[in-house]
């Protein structure tokens, strides 16, 4: 299959599954906060997703490297569809105690996401020629961020104008789109060209590979700690209600703002990949992310908040393209699933633990101080990584191609 056509087919899978995930998470956040009126309950969403994600992510990476990547992708979509339909039933008040059931549904979302990430990245590296990886990575990032724009935006609007049950129904429909895309994926080398190994031995092989490569370990650590302290998205429902006095439509706008910036930057980088001074550009982009989060925390009007979140998305997208390109260019195909899964644990733990950290910090410090504190810690992480990772700050992607 032609590279462009193969990429579009693979992208349909990622777009459908990602839209499903984004709609689900914005709806679950609004649903729970309306029931509990607690910012800690928003942080616990991250914890509910994190535990099963951890439990399945490493095995998912092993499975992607040894079994059918296409089948695993289909299972990821089916999990999202099943969870969305279950949440429809909860929104229709079929159950008398919905809170624990919602957290259970979030746990299954974590399982689906654990399967989604390594299967997509392994198929991506298998389908896209090495010399085109940076360009198609930028396209992929742009499409992903478009989903992060459309998902919360559609979710917020659907909650406001149609209700939670229809919002969860939209998430199920998006999951079916992803499953449809999976059916057209053509990946001829579904298994590694080596015997299947025991899971523990397989995991240790991936772990040792990551540990021995300073570049991969550095970008994983940078991303993990920056997102852990710099993410403010998880407490946006509380910020919207308490600071902006808004409703779900405002939440949709703010959730969409960073993704809009990320999508625009992704399109730009697809035409002008950051091949020179890539390491320095990575540090600058993460630094800009931290500064924009601080500015957002001190903003009190909708459009100013949206602007700084937009800038944070621009900076985040720039760093994602560079980090993903490094991962794809330095990882052999036979171990790609495991490395992607380990990277997903770094990122996943930072997202979900960051959500818990944000909820607890907001309850102790207040919303605005907790957001500003997180951005400040992100800046410190950038400075520390810049000092400790000399190979990363002198990196040029063109030298890896």
């Amino acid at each position: 299959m032609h590279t462009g056509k193969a990429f579009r087919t693979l992208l349909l899978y990622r777009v459908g599954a990602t839209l499903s995930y984004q709609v689900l998470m914005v709806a679950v956040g609004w649903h729970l906060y309306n029931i509990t009126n607690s910012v800690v309950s928003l942080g616990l969403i991250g914890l509910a997703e994190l535990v099963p994600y951890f439990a399945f992510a490493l095995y998912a990476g092993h499975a992607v490297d040894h079994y059918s990547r296409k089948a695993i992708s289909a299972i990821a979509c089916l999990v999202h569809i099943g969870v969305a339909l279950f949440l429809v039933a909860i929104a229709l008040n079929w159950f008398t105690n919905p809170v624990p059931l919602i957290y259970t549904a979030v746990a299954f979302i974590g399982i689906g996401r654990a399967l989604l990430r390594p299967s997509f990245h392994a198929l991506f590296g298998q389908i896209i020629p090495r010399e085109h990886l940076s360009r198609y990575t930028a396209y992929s990032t742009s499409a992903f961020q478009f989903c992060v724009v459309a998902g919360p935006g559609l979710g917020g609007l659907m909650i406001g104008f149609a209700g939670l049950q229809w919002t969860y129904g939209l998430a199920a429909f998006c999951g079916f789109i992803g499953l449809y895309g999976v059916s057209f994926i053509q990946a001829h080398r579904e298994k590694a060209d080596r015997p299947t190994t025991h899971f523990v031995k397989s995991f240790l092989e991936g772990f040792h590979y990551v540990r021995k490569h300073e570049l991969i370990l550095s970008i994983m650590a940078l991303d993990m700690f920056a997102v852990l302290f710099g993410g403010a998205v998880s407490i946006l429902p509380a910020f919207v209600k308490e600071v902006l006095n808004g409703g779900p439509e405002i939440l949709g706008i703010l959730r969409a703002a960073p993704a809009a910036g990320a999508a625009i930057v992704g399109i730009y980088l697809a035409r002008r990949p950051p091949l020179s001074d890539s390491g320095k550009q990575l540090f600058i982009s993460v630094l800009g992310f931290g500064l924009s989060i601080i500015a957002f925390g001190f903003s009190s009007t909708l459009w100013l908040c949206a602007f700084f979140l937009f800038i944070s998305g621009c900076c985040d997208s720039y760093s994602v393209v560079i980090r993903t390109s490094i991962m794809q260019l330095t990882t052999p195909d036979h171990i790609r699933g495991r490395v992607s899964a380990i990277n997903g644990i770094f990122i996943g733990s930072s997202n979900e633990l960051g959500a818990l950290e944000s909820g607890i910090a907001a309850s102790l410090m207040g919303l605005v101080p907790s957001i500003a504190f997180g951005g400040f810690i992100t800046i410190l992480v950038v400075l520390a990584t810049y000092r400790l990772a000399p190979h990363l700050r002198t990196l040029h992607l063109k030298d890896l191609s």
Side-chain angles (χ1 to χ4, degrees):
M1 182 183 288
H2 185 269
T3 299
K5 185 176 180 181
F7 174 71
R8 289 191 293 272
T9 299
L10 180 61
L11 207 57
L12 188 61
Y13 158 51
R14 192 183 199 191
V15 165
T18 303
L19 277 175
S20 178
Y21 173 82
Q22 293 295 330
V23 172
L24 282 173
M25 295 309 290
V26 73
V28 162
W30 191 260
H31 197 170
L32 270 175
Y33 193 72
N34 270 346
I35 295 173
T36 65
N37 289 312
S38 168
V39 291
V40 175
S41 71
L42 297 177
L44 290 175
I45 293 175
L47 186 61
E49 184 182 358
L50 178 64
V51 173
Y53 181 86
F54 265 1
F56 279 83
L58 289 178
Y59 185 78
H62 164 79
V64 162
D65 284 336
H66 293 90
Y67 305 110
S68 170
R69 293 169 175 177
K70 183 174 178 178
I72 294 170
S73 302
I75 293 171
C77 291
L78 288 171
V79 170
H80 281 82
I81 293 168
V83 168
L85 294 177
F86 178 61
L87 286 167
V88 169
I90 294 176
L92 290 172
N93 297 316
W94 288 10
F95 306 98
T96 56
N97 189 15
V99 172
L101 296 178
I102 293 173
Y103 283 122
T104 301
V106 171
F108 278 93
I109 294 174
I111 295 173
R113 192 164 68 89
L115 299 173
L116 171 61
R117 182 182 181 85
S119 63
F120 172 79
H121 284 289
L123 287 168
F124 182 88
Q126 181 177 327
I127 289 172
I128 305 301
R130 185 178 181 85
E131 62 271 18
H132 297 310
L133 275 173
S134 293
R135 181 161 63 93
Y136 279 101
T137 293
Y139 281 128
S140 173
T141 299
S142 181
F144 173 78
Q145 296 297 344
F146 169 79
C147 295
V148 182
V149 172
L154 286 174
L157 290 173
M158 287 288 288
I159 294 169
F161 294 107
L164 280 166
Q165 64 269 33
W166 288 102
T167 307
Y168 291 132
L170 174 64
F173 175 73
C174 293
F176 277 111
I177 292 176
L179 187 61
Y180 177 77
V182 170
S183 67
F184 288 98
I185 293 175
Q186 294 184 13
H188 300 292
R189 296 178 61 206
E190 289 289 339
K191 297 181 181 180
D193 298 330
R194 58 180 61 190
T196 301
T197 58
H198 189 273
F199 163 63
V200 175
K201 182 179 179 181
S202 175
F203 158 68
L204 289 176
E205 183 181 353
F207 176 77
H208 288 313
Y209 182 86
V210 171
R211 184 175 60 85
K212 291 187 297 184
H213 284 73
E214 180 188 314
L215 282 178
I216 293 180
L217 190 60
S218 298
I219 60 175
M220 285 185 181
L222 177 63
D223 186 45
M224 176 180 178
F225 289 106
V227 176
L228 174 63
F229 293 103
V233 172
S234 62
I235 57 175
L236 276 181
F239 189 90
V240 167
K241 281 195 169 185
E242 296 182 17
V243 177
L244 299 180
N245 299 313
E249 299 85 357
I250 302 302
L251 175 63
I253 292 173
L254 293 186
R255 284 291 299 266
I264 292 172
V265 168
I267 294 172
Y268 171 80
L269 293 180
R271 299 180 179 275
R272 294 178 177 273
L275 300 179
S276 299
D277 293 321
S278 311
K280 290 180 180 178
Q281 293 183 60
L282 173 61
F283 284 113
I284 292 172
S285 62
V286 182
L287 181 66
F289 174 80
L291 291 171
S292 61
I293 291 298
I294 293 174
F296 160 73
F298 287 109
S299 301
S300 57
T301 61
L302 170 61
W303 297 114
L304 197 57
C305 290
F307 171 75
F308 286 118
L309 287 176
F310 175 86
I311 298 300
S312 76
C314 292
C315 296
D316 186 50
S317 180
Y318 213 102
S319 69
V320 166
V321 169
I322 296 174
R323 286 186 284 105
T324 305
S325 297
I326 293 172
M327 293 285 295
Q328 293 286 359
L329 289 168
T330 57
T331 306
D333 183 69
H334 75 274
I335 203 172
R336 203 182 298 275
R338 281 161 287 176
V339 172
S340 178
I342 293 170
N343 183 45
I345 286 180
F346 273 73
I347 297 173
S349 62
S350 62
N351 280 319
E352 275 61 64
L353 287 177
L356 181 61
E357 180 272 335
S358 296
I360 294 174
S363 66
L364 295 175
M365 304 168 60
L367 280 172
V368 172
S370 67
I371 294 172
F373 173 77
F376 177 72
I377 295 297
T378 299
I379 294 172
L380 293 182
V381 169
V382 173
L383 297 176
T385 309
Y386 184 85
R387 179 178 178 82
L388 296 173
H391 289 88
L392 181 57
R393 65 174 179 255
T394 59
L395 172 74
H396 304 276
L397 281 177
K398 62 184 180 182
D399 294 336
L400 300 178
S401 300

